[in-house]
Amino acid sequence: MFVVVLLIGILLAWAYRATRPPLPNICGSPWGPPITAPRIKLRDGRHLAYKEHGVPAKVAKYKIIYVHGLFTCRHGAVIAKNLPQELVEELGIYIVSYDRPGYGESDPDPKQTVKSLALDVEELADQLGLDSKFYVIAYSIGCHVVWGCLRYIPHRLSGAALLAPIINYWWRGLPSNLSTEAYYKQLPQDQWTHRVAHYIPWLTYWWNTQKWFPALSAVPGNPNIFSRQDLEITSKKLGKQINKAHITQQGEFESIHRTIMVGFGNWEFSPIDLENPFPNNEGSVHLWQGDDDRIVAIPLQRFIAKKLPWIQYHELPGKESSKLHQEESWEV
């Protein structure tokens, strides 16, 4: 009997430790990575690291905040990389990309929500002096921040753009037949990753670090989720230096895992219920989507665009939205 109790105790102790993520390696702490980027201090004491592109903010006509995706950081501002410098100067474009909480050199936020992420954007704009209104552009799962901005700070926006936004299958108002079909079209490992994040988030760290079953497949270069066109782009990038370590240097739990937990968790609102932030056409919201995307459910994207007619929906034939993910590389 004693042996059985002992074994149960050992098993419970192991399970407890296995589900507990390690403490983050806070940048600037005695045990953490050094601080190399400019940062602002938020009202709750956290810091956000950022990177500026284009013309100086004080002379810019268009002031844009760019929100990165899952496996990148402030260095992966795809729009800043692809705009010709002459066009940037001619139009007066200023772009600031930043590390979302827990990524790169921004402090983690264990209390992170879609609302807190939107308020981080607002405070970043205020501290950088971007005036009363600005634009927000995001890619992939970073688009959850844009949805939050449209919900919580629409009065601060001049416009918004979502590039291949990831969809939360549990958003209120999605047709159950479409969301269920889209959910089960995912690879089984992704179904479980998102299911764990939604229903039992406290197991997210264990699920994404255990070795018994495959976890999230949506990592750059995975041939199982990318098309021929994507793999061609990936092969062209093989010679470039990749530094994933910088992205998750404070720990994967407070960066990638936390993003998945927030993105696929229970939201306080559904994007489908949003009202037009620009009723007088003083601004616009655009959504770009490739029609052969292997990660984002196109039928759900079309449904959302139809339910929100004030969004200008652009479906690009023959283009892969995940190509943007390849452009939003790990280079640092």
Side-chain angles (χ1 to χ4, degrees):
M1 184 65 179
F2 172 77
V3 174
V4 173
V5 172
L6 179 62
L7 289 175
I8 292 176
I10 293 174
L11 180 62
L12 290 175
W14 171 85
Y16 176 79
R17 293 188 62 182
T19 59
R20 298 283 291 180
L23 293 175
N25 299 315
I26 306 295
C27 282
S29 66
W31 61 88
I35 298 169
T36 63
R39 309 199 303 175
I40 63 164
K41 186 174 183 179
L42 303 172
R43 62 174 61 92
D44 65 2
R46 291 183 295 115
H47 296 84
L48 284 186
Y50 64 91
K51 182 177 182 179
E52 296 175 294
H53 318 260
V55 303
K58 61 183 179 181
V59 300
K61 182 178 179 181
Y62 299 98
K63 300 174 182 180
I64 302 169
I65 295 179
Y66 179 80
V67 188
H68 64 76
L70 185 63
F71 289 97
T72 182
C73 62
R74 69 187 183 279
H75 296 290
V78 60
I79 58 170
K81 292 181 178 181
N82 291 331
L83 286 176
Q85 185 60 31
E86 316 86 71
L87 183 64
V88 169
E89 294 177 359
E90 178 184 347
L91 297 180
I93 298 174
Y94 165 87
I95 301 170
V96 59
S97 54
Y98 70 101
D99 291 333
R100 289 192 283 116
Y103 283 83
E105 297 181 28
S106 287
D107 293 337
D109 182 7
K111 299 179 180 180
Q112 184 180 142
T113 63
V114 176
K115 182 176 183 178
S116 73
L117 290 168
L119 297 181
D120 283 355
V121 167
E122 181 178 39
E123 195 165 355
L124 176 66
D126 288 340
Q127 293 206 34
L128 294 182
L130 302 191
D131 299 331
S132 60
K133 292 199 172 189
F134 49 86
Y135 296 86
V136 287
I137 300 178
Y139 171 73
S140 187
I141 203 166
C143 291
H144 291 163
V145 180
V146 174
W147 291 124
C149 290
L150 291 169
R151 171 64 177 85
Y152 296 110
I153 59 168
H155 58 288
R156 299 299 307 274
L157 303 182
S158 295
L162 304 99
L163 311 179
I166 294 294
I167 296 171
N168 183 326
Y169 302 99
W170 293 272
W171 279 340
R172 184 176 60 254
L174 289 177
S176 58
N177 61 325
L178 288 182
S179 58
T180 300
E181 180 183 2
Y183 179 83
Y184 285 106
K185 279 186 175 180
Q186 300 180 101
L187 293 176
Q189 63 202 79
D190 292 332
Q191 295 176 29
W192 277 104
T193 297
H194 298 149
R195 187 181 288 127
V196 167
H198 184 79
Y199 291 110
I200 41 178
W202 55 272
L203 273 182
T204 297
Y205 172 74
W206 174 81
W207 176 258
N208 285 281
T209 55
Q210 51 78 33
K211 305 300 181 184
W212 300 335
F213 309 101
L216 187 67
S217 70
V219 296
N222 185 346
N224 295 321
I225 60 170
F226 293 123
S227 71
R228 174 185 56 80
Q229 294 165 302
D230 295 317
L231 294 176
E232 288 175 0
I233 293 175
T234 302
S235 66
K236 293 177 182 178
K237 286 181 168 286
L238 289 178
K240 295 189 177 182
Q241 183 178 3
I242 301 238
N243 190 354
K244 181 188 175 186
H246 180 81
I247 298 168
T248 59
Q249 64 182 347
Q250 298 184 86
E252 289 195 1
F253 181 73
E254 286 297 348
S255 52
I256 294 171
H257 300 172
R258 181 72 66 186
T259 295
I260 296 172
M261 290 163 61
V262 172
F264 291 97
N266 290 308
W267 285 31
E268 296 178 351
F269 70 97
S270 171
I272 296 170
D273 298 329
L274 290 173
E275 298 181 354
N276 185 356
F278 308 113
N280 299 315
N281 295 320
E282 65 273 31
S284 59
V285 180
H286 295 258
L287 193 160
W288 275 271
Q289 177 62 57
D291 69 350
D292 192 28
D293 197 309
R294 306 295 175 85
I295 299 175
V296 179
I298 308 301
L300 288 179
Q301 208 79 284
R302 293 170 179 164
F303 174 83
I304 293 172
K306 186 176 180 180
K307 292 292 288 186
L308 303 175
W310 44 268
I311 288 183
Q312 299 185 38
Y313 181 62
H314 313 274
E315 191 167 298
L316 308 181
K319 301 290 183 181
E320 298 284 348
S321 63
S322 46
K323 284 181 181 179
L324 291 174
H325 189 82
Q326 302 296 340
E327 290 298 323
E328 202 184 46
S329 68
W330 288 341
E331 295 174 55
V332 175

